[in-house]
Amino acid sequence: MISSVTEQAKVERIRRQIFMALFVALAVALHTLEYLLPSPAPWFRLGFANILAITALFLYGARAAWTVTLARIGIGSLLLGNLFSPGFLLSLSGGILATALMTAARKTFGRMIGPVGVSALGALGHVLGQMLVAWLVLVRHDGLWRMFPFLLLFALGTGIANGVAADSLLNLLRGHPAFRAVREADGRTART
């Protein structure tokens, strides 16, 4: 039984660390699994791992989303043996721009934007980041940009689907007693 406010805060901090470790581990597993699946384009992925970054963003804030994204890319690339390869650069650039857009949108719009909107913006950022690095570092050919509308369309579709999945996961987690403190913080934010 928890007797003091200090002990309660300590339990919440440890609980948060455990869930962040789980989010990173699941994101790495999804990142690795997607890499092993066939893909319609060389660097096109469905972005399932972003579901965990969005969940971390809505539960614990921007820093948590950055942690999940960067840890997923770094650890996933180490496991796959492609650290600092062109695929790693594309994944890193897409992840950085996607997370920057998602965290900025969440900070700017607060409760007015949900996981689906944030995920769609992240998909836009991911494609844009990858195209910029592909054009600047890998293939400096203007024809590359002709693929942009098609990749953007695919990314928006997967971004919306991943946002719906993240929203479902968030609803499931917020109903669990372990996320009572997060629920209460959300309630306080909604009242202010």
Side-chain angles (χ1 to χ4, degrees):
M1 179 158 199
I2 299 167
S3 60
S4 72
V5 174
T6 307
E7 288 180 21
Q8 177 67 31
K10 185 177 177 182
V11 167
E12 287 302 323
R13 190 177 69 247
I14 292 170
R15 183 177 287 151
R16 179 184 169 140
Q17 290 171 345
I18 290 169
F19 277 106
M20 283 299 297
L22 287 171
F23 290 166
V24 169
L26 286 171
V28 169
L30 288 172
H31 176 91
T32 306
L33 180 67
E34 270 190 63
Y35 184 83
L36 300 174
L37 294 175
S39 173
W43 61 75
F44 184 77
R45 301 283 180 254
L46 298 174
F48 292 139
N50 202 36
I51 295 169
L52 283 308
I54 295 166
T55 303
L57 175 64
F58 278 80
L59 288 176
Y60 299 126
R63 184 181 224 175
W66 280 106
T67 300
V68 170
T69 300
L70 295 177
R72 183 251 311 165
I73 294 168
I75 296 170
S77 296
L78 272 173
L79 288 174
L80 294 168
N82 64 2
L83 192 62
F84 305 120
S85 71
F88 168 78
L89 292 177
L90 292 171
S91 182
L92 183 63
S93 61
I96 287 173
L97 202 51
T99 307
L101 276 177
M102 292 191 307
T103 55
R106 181 74 174 146
K107 184 174 183 167
T108 304
F109 299 111
R111 297 180 62 84
M112 293 188 310
I113 189 165
V116 176
V118 166
S119 183
L121 283 173
L124 169 69
H126 203 273
V127 168
L128 192 57
Q130 286 188 329
M131 290 296 287
L132 283 172
V133 166
W135 187 74
L136 290 172
V137 178
L138 302 175
V139 184
R140 202 170 186 106
H141 189 278
D142 291 338
L144 187 66
W145 290 100
R146 291 186 192 137
M147 295 172 51
F148 183 71
F150 303 107
L151 291 175
L152 182 61
L153 191 63
F154 279 121
L156 282 176
T158 59
I160 290 170
N162 289 335
V164 170
D167 191 42
S168 298
L169 181 59
L170 282 164
N171 286 332
L172 182 73
L173 292 176
R174 284 183 175 135
H176 193 276
F179 290 92
R180 190 184 70 191
V182 173
R183 237 185 357 259
E184 290 171 359
D186 284 349
R188 282 193 299 272
T189 304
R191 287 191 295 271
T192 58

